[in-house]
Amino acid sequence: MQQSYKKYGDFSKDGLEFIITNPDTPRPWINYLSNGEYCSLISQTGGGYSFYLDSGVNRLTRWAPANYMTDQPGRYLYLRDENTKEYWSCGHRPVEKSSAFECAHGLGYTIIKTEYANIKSEMTFFVPLKDSIDVCLIKITNKGKNKRKLKAFPFVEWLLGDWSAELGIRNITILLNRGYFDKDSEAIFVTKYPWAEKKWPYFGYIATTLKTNSFDVDYEDFMGKYRDYSNPIAVENGKCSNSTDVQGMNMVGALEADLELDAGEEKEFLVMVGITKSKNEAKKVMAKYRDLGNAKKEFENTKKFWHEAILGNTEVSTPDKEFDRAVNIWIKYQVYMNNHWGRSATFYHEGGGEFGYRNTTQDAWAMVFLNPEYAKEKLLKLMYHQRSSGQPLPGWSFATGASEHKPPSDFPIWPVLLLNAYLKETGDFGILKKKVDFYDGGNATVYEHIKKSIKFLMDMASSKRGLPLMGSQDWNDAFDRTGIGGKGESVWLGMGLCVALRNMEELANFLKDKKTAGDCRKRYEEMKKIINKVAWDGNWYIYAFNDYGEPLGSRSTKEGKIQLNAQTWAILAGLPDEDKLKKILKTIDKDLATPYGQVLFTPGYTEYNSRIGRITAFAIGTKENAAIFCHGGAFKVTADLKIGRAKEAYKTFKQFLSTASNKDIEVFKTEPYIYPEYLVGPGNPRYGEGAFSWLTGSADWFYVAATQGILGIRPEFEGLLIDPCIPSSWDSYKVIRVFRGDRYEITIENPHHVERGVAEIILDGKILSSNLIKPSNDKKSHRLKVVMGKPCSKSK
Ligand code: GLC
């Protein structure tokens, strides 16, 4: 029988928390606690790890590979009863004895409640807005009739630094470890000594507000021999061995303290784990959080910040509450985490700490509509990470700087999409004149930067057929040998170029830069002609030609025959005529459809082909090899919306939601509140399984598709365009939208049950003749009533 995600938990009534009631979820279901500099990944039982600025080189606490299966180690709090000598852990794991369990993942916090032997515990984890620490506020209650003498053991295990070195040569990295217990501040401090050019200028620390009786820094002393997290010898004995001055050994941060509770009594305390450059600074932070009042204030501030960040912009209310919850809360939250951490650290990824250019651009693009200031900062950073030739750098790290090798070929496509979105949302056209340095010297205005990336892209279209050269890869990273010899061509890249050119043309036209607009138009028409001539395969578009001139995504191939992105991007680029459109829609709806949404292509590759790349080596249905790739699904929805396919767009949008009713949670496995990167595709025994959850561009695209496409509230250069593309069954819906400082309360009525078309539009009681609302710039609240039906004359 199909099992719903509700078997393991459900959303709170207001949708702001996901409450897990069964700790044995099919995978760890995690949360990101993060202020953008410090980040803590935490599972429903407290598993997970923390890092600072860069998850690749600045890991603080230990992480073990594939922790999506093991969920170990984590931030643990052991309790021991001094009379019975029994011990357990407050997060349920690792001792796994609790008789009651609940974990609420909220926006910026996670609360885990358990109970064992009449002792109730509640741990509230959060990362404050400014300080680089994990805070855990703890409440322990004695529910029994007798006084209880307990011991509390807060615990973490340190990694300190570069996870890959730690995995590859732990025998060496361990020798760099130093740690000790500092009596004055009652805290454990740990660090790694510098090694060749690998400097690690930080200290980790752990402290509690309880009086520390004993401690351990040495892993072995705390853990004992042949034991694991579920039965450390120190906890079993009720005392740590005061191992300090640890040199060149595995290190933990373990403390022990008395906790006596009268019958019915509740005690509160706190544990903090942090990273710092100076011990004095750490001591200040510790002093601040040792005052529980301060800590609670910080918790309230953190909660408030997240609630405002997520709820303080667009708010939608439609007949579909599942849609509302995703669009109002969880997709936005995921977009924030994408922006904070790129594609670095998850429970699946090892986590290189770099921000890749392609992903960052798309993350910032969606962020424009949540927090334009934040997006602007990213935009300017992206402009700087461009060479004067127009070529973007592959990416950068906040710890180690930019990387300088040759980037994938699609990177120059994305900046113009971001810039246009930013301008349309904010009207901040002044930014176009802002001078920004190039990474390799010199500077230019933002407008010039963008023109250069377009020019760079156009110059790549230099194959014999006139298509862009694929180079090391295009959007699809795993076609990594297709064009490696310098001859392979990407049709998809040509489509991406067309989309970028249309965006550039639109901007140049608006700025009355006739020459640029004209050049873009001309180039667009040329590319359109080329693609339609050389890449039309009879019923769909070919995806690419490899170095040997062999097509990928063609009827002449046995595997990888029909590629979704080549069809959806053809639509986004406006390439197919009516006949071709009909054919590709048929293939999208029939050949590529699964009950969970469209696959990236069909059929998957079954044998390694060095003329194509690693994609062919991946197990069928996994990752880029014909998975149900959420990013691709979001492109599909966006393409549907572009051509007004309301029903299909909505259907696919709902299929990709992790809460979709046809998902069996025992098959799907990953968190129901956010998108995984992909679902395993057909042909694989794990068909339908979610994988690589959390950091994925699909959240970016689905957010924009839902708000601007389906709900149809779309910023344009001149104002806010109202152009719904909704299920015809909807009677009405509401959107609250802040646009350029004005607040619009929009009610959209659909008396004739159409999918598209604005018949009447009334702003503050006055009928408008167009569905484009010019900004009033009065920073006031406005009422907008929209009636759908046959479009009014000046509808755009
Ligand atoms: C991953 C990458 C993204 C890429 C996609 C397809 O999601 O983060 O950048 O486009 O895979 O390869």
Side-chain angles (χ1 to χ4, degrees):
M1 204 184 66
Q2 185 181 309
Q3 310 263 1
S4 148
Y5 67 86
K6 293 188 183 169
K7 177 174 173 190
Y8 295 101
D10 204 351
F11 294 91
S12 59
K13 256 209 176 120
D14 59 12
L16 290 167
E17 289 179 342
F18 190 87
I19 301 171
I20 300 164
T21 44
N22 178 344
D24 299 323
T25 51
R27 292 274 184 242
W29 286 358
I30 72 162
N31 197 4
Y32 280 68
L33 313 177
S34 165
N35 54 23
E37 290 195 344
Y38 183 86
C39 182
S40 182
L41 274 63
I42 182 164
S43 77
Q44 77 279 8
T45 54
Y49 57 96
S50 307
F51 59 89
Y52 176 63
L53 293 181
D54 178 314
S55 68
V57 296
N58 283 340
R59 289 281 161 100
L60 180 61
T61 54
R62 186 161 292 286
W63 151 91
N67 55 344
Y68 66 91
M69 287 194 269
T70 59
D71 191 20
Q72 286 190 344
R75 308 148 197 86
Y76 300 141
L77 174 65
Y78 301 92
L79 292 183
R80 180 182 193 266
D81 186 307
E82 288 296 277
N83 288 326
T84 64
K85 306 203 174 7
E86 261 206 299
Y87 61 91
W88 62 98
S89 47
C90 295
H92 178 67
R93 262 184 274 284
V95 186
E96 299 194 32
K97 275 193 194 154
S98 38
S99 52
F101 170 87
E102 187 185 288
C103 165
H105 284 317
L107 308 179
Y109 65 91
T110 286
I111 301 175
I112 306 177
K113 296 178 191 169
T114 60
E115 205 174 307
Y116 182 71
N118 270 333
I119 298 293
K120 205 175 123 190
S121 65
E122 179 176 323
M123 299 192 285
T124 301
F125 294 90
F126 71 100
V127 168
L129 297 176
K130 295 239 157 63
D131 301 310
S132 296
I133 54 171
D134 274 285
V135 180
C136 181
L137 281 162
I138 300 147
K139 258 193 238 166
I140 307 286
T141 317
N142 178 1
K143 287 179 71 188
K145 296 207 171 75
N146 303 316
K147 182 171 174 153
R148 300 286 288 272
K149 269 184 88 174
L150 305 176
K151 294 258 183 199
F153 294 80
F155 167 91
V156 290
E157 188 179 343
W158 307 106
L159 191 151
L160 310 178
D162 184 335
W163 65 261
S164 64
E166 195 74 8
L167 274 188
I169 42 167
R170 189 157 166 188
N171 60 327
I172 300 294
T173 56
I174 203 180
L175 306 178
L176 314 173
N177 284 349
R178 304 289 194 279
Y180 70 100
F181 180 75
D182 180 65
K183 276 196 189 126
D184 288 348
S185 54
E186 274 193 42
I188 288 172
F189 280 101
V190 287
T191 192
K192 258 201 162 73
Y193 269 28
W195 159 44
E197 79 287 6
K198 284 184 190 280
K199 294 198 173 59
W200 204 72
Y202 303 106
F203 294 92
Y205 59 96
I206 179 169
T208 170
T209 50
L210 293 176
K211 173 94 196 86
T212 303
N213 291 332
S214 66
F215 52 83
D216 269 319
V217 190
D218 191 311
Y219 175 96
E220 264 193 306
D221 285 338
F222 180 76
M223 211 56 92
K225 294 203 190 326
Y226 308 116
R227 286 168 178 258
D228 57 38
Y229 306 109
S230 70
N231 58 357
I233 191 76
V235 179
E236 200 169 294
N237 291 341
K239 199 162 179 30
C240 296
S241 54
N242 291 344
S243 54
T244 181
D245 190 21
V246 172
Q247 310 230 12
M249 296 297 286
N250 279 321
M251 296 192 299
V252 295
L255 306 169
E256 173 260 316
D258 288 322
L259 193 63
E260 289 196 9
L261 294 162
D262 286 330
E265 191 185 353
E266 174 185 289
K267 272 201 176 138
E268 286 185 300
F269 64 103
L270 173 152
V271 176
M272 58 194 133
V273 178
I275 189 166
T276 182
K277 269 198 165 171
S278 96
K279 289 183 200 165
N280 277 343
E281 185 56 42
K283 284 176 187 168
K284 272 193 219 151
V285 176
M286 281 193 260
K288 175 173 166 192
Y289 288 90
R290 277 203 158 110
D291 178 333
L292 283 181
N294 277 344
K296 286 182 187 171
K297 229 186 280 156
E298 287 291 337
F299 175 57
E300 287 311 316
N301 289 343
T302 305
K303 226 166 128 176
K304 188 160 164 255
F305 166 84
W306 278 109
H307 281 191
E308 280 171 9
I310 300 301
L311 303 177
N313 34 60
T314 302
E315 191 187 328
V316 313
S317 166
T318 73
D320 182 345
K321 295 305 155 208
E322 185 194 34
F323 175 92
D324 294 355
R325 189 179 55 216
V327 176
N328 283 332
I329 304 169
W330 291 95
I331 304 183
K332 289 184 192 172
Y333 192 51
Q334 196 171 357
V335 169
Y336 257 99
M337 292 316 151
N338 282 348
N339 274 273
H340 276 0
W341 300 112
R343 301 296 171 270
S344 61
T346 69
F347 262 42
Y348 288 83
H349 296 83
E350 284 71 26
E354 195 171 285
F355 286 80
Y357 199 92
R358 168 207 298 143
N359 295 326
T360 303
T361 325
Q362 292 170 76
D363 295 342
W365 167 72
M367 187 53 113
V368 160
F369 311 108
L370 304 182
N371 185 340
E373 274 304 308
Y374 186 132
K376 176 180 170 183
E377 230 178 86
K378 288 239 150 156
L379 170 69
L380 296 174
K381 220 167 234 124
L382 286 154
M383 297 291 92
Y384 166 70
H385 286 95
Q386 188 189 31
R387 295 191 166 93
S388 47
S389 63
Q391 182 188 44
L393 297 176
W396 70 88
S397 145
F398 284 117
T400 56
S403 50
E404 296 179 345
H405 53 272
K406 204 172 164 214
S409 309
D410 63 308
F411 281 20
I413 291 177
W414 309 101
V416 66
L417 272 64
L418 166 60
L419 177 65
N420 274 10
Y422 175 76
L423 295 172
K424 288 175 177 183
E425 178 67 26
T426 60
D428 174 18
F429 292 98
I431 199 175
L432 292 169
K433 298 211 177 94
K434 191 175 168 60
K435 290 227 162 139
V436 180
D437 287 346
F438 288 108
Y439 181 75
D440 56 354
N443 65 38
T445 63
V446 166
Y447 190 52
E448 289 296 330
H449 272 265
I450 289 291
K451 286 208 294 190
K452 283 205 173 212
S453 59
I454 299 284
K455 167 87 173 47
F456 189 86
L457 199 57
M458 290 201 288
D459 290 347
M460 273 162 45
S462 59
S463 82
K464 264 199 202 136
R465 278 180 263 248
L467 288 168
L469 294 172
M470 188 145 187
S472 60
Q473 68 250 102
D474 59 14
W475 172 91
N476 194 322
D477 286 329
F479 282 130
D480 57 354
R481 295 199 61 80
T482 305
I484 203 78
K487 289 197 188 130
E489 306 153 277
S490 167
V491 177
W492 179 86
L493 209 49
M495 295 169 174
L497 168 63
C498 286
V499 169
L501 286 168
R502 293 297 287 266
N503 270 271
M504 189 70 224
E505 182 194 347
E506 191 192 1
L507 174 61
N509 265 332
F510 183 75
L511 299 174
K512 309 215 164 19
D513 175 358
K514 293 259 158 53
K515 158 108 182 59
T516 303
D519 289 350
C520 288
R521 187 76 203 175
K522 194 165 151 266
R523 207 67 180 87
Y524 168 79
E525 294 297 345
E526 283 166 12
M527 186 53 62
K528 178 174 175 175
K529 220 163 153 194
I530 292 171
I531 293 177
N532 276 318
K533 191 165 146 224
V534 306
W536 181 248
D537 202 39
N539 284 306
W540 58 78
Y541 286 95
I542 288 170
Y543 187 84
F545 298 93
N546 68 8
D547 285 331
Y548 307 88
E550 299 158 350
L552 272 67
S554 148
R555 69 196 143 127
S556 63
T557 60
K558 268 208 334 251
E559 299 183 334
K561 197 173 183 158
I562 315 171
Q563 301 269 341
L564 177 65
N565 286 353
Q567 318 319 315
T568 52
W569 277 72
I571 296 173
L572 293 175
L575 305 185
D577 58 21
E578 230 174 273
D579 179 53
K580 288 193 174 78
L581 182 63
K582 231 199 235 152
K583 288 183 171 150
I584 63 176
L585 289 178
K586 195 166 152 214
T587 218
I588 290 174
D589 292 343
K590 270 189 71 189
D591 302 320
L592 296 166
T594 81
Y596 306 117
Q598 266 65 12
V599 272
L600 204 49
F601 54 83
T602 189
Y605 295 103
T606 55
E607 265 178 53
Y608 180 60
N609 183 340
S610 64
R611 294 173 176 227
I612 296 179
R614 68 174 191 254
I615 195 165
T616 57
F618 291 164
I620 191 167
T622 64
K623 205 147 156 70
E624 285 95 340
N625 187 9
I628 301 153
F629 211 83
C630 298
H631 207 162
F635 293 152
K636 187 264 178 192
V637 171
T638 310
D640 281 335
L641 291 162
K642 186 174 160 66
I643 52 173
R645 295 213 309 160
K647 199 161 66 216
E648 289 80 0
Y650 192 70
K651 180 178 163 198
T652 308
F653 183 88
K654 295 282 303 226
Q655 281 175 322
F656 272 96
L657 280 181
S658 295
T659 47
S661 60
N662 71 354
K663 285 195 170 84
D664 183 328
I665 197 62
E666 299 299 354
V667 175
F668 179 61
K669 294 193 166 96
T670 49
E671 295 91 336
Y673 38 94
I674 44 92
Y675 294 106
E677 185 191 46
Y678 68 90
L679 279 74
V680 176
N684 188 300
R686 289 176 172 255
Y687 179 28
E689 180 170 323
F692 293 34
S693 59
W694 272 97
L695 301 180
T696 144
S698 45
D700 306 334
W701 281 75
F702 276 126
Y703 182 70
V704 177
T707 48
Q708 302 191 19
I710 297 174
L711 300 173
I713 316 290
R714 190 155 64 246
E716 297 288 352
F717 289 129
E718 303 92 341
L720 197 59
L721 189 74
I722 312 293
D723 180 21
C725 191
I726 58 166
S728 57
S729 59
W730 286 7
D731 290 323
S732 68
Y733 63 98
K734 286 198 171 117
V735 179
I736 295 175
R737 174 69 153 95
V738 177
F739 179 64
R740 302 194 194 172
D742 304 333
R743 185 171 186 274
Y744 293 92
E745 283 175 30
I746 310 170
T747 310
I748 294 163
E749 288 170 6
N750 189 18
H752 309 293
H753 290 279
V754 297
E755 290 182 339
R756 210 170 188 184
V758 169
E760 192 177 55
I761 186 156
I762 303 165
L763 179 64
D764 297 326
K766 275 195 211 113
I767 297 188
L768 302 183
S769 58
S770 152
N771 58 343
L772 184 81
I773 317 297
K774 295 265 162 74
S776 62
N777 294 323
D778 60 8
K779 312 266 177 274
K780 285 197 176 141
S781 229
H782 299 276
R783 273 174 191 281
L784 193 67
K785 187 179 156 195
V786 179
V787 182
M788 291 179 70
K790 199 163 166 284
C792 57
S793 54
K794 283 208 198 144
S795 270
K796 272 190 83 165

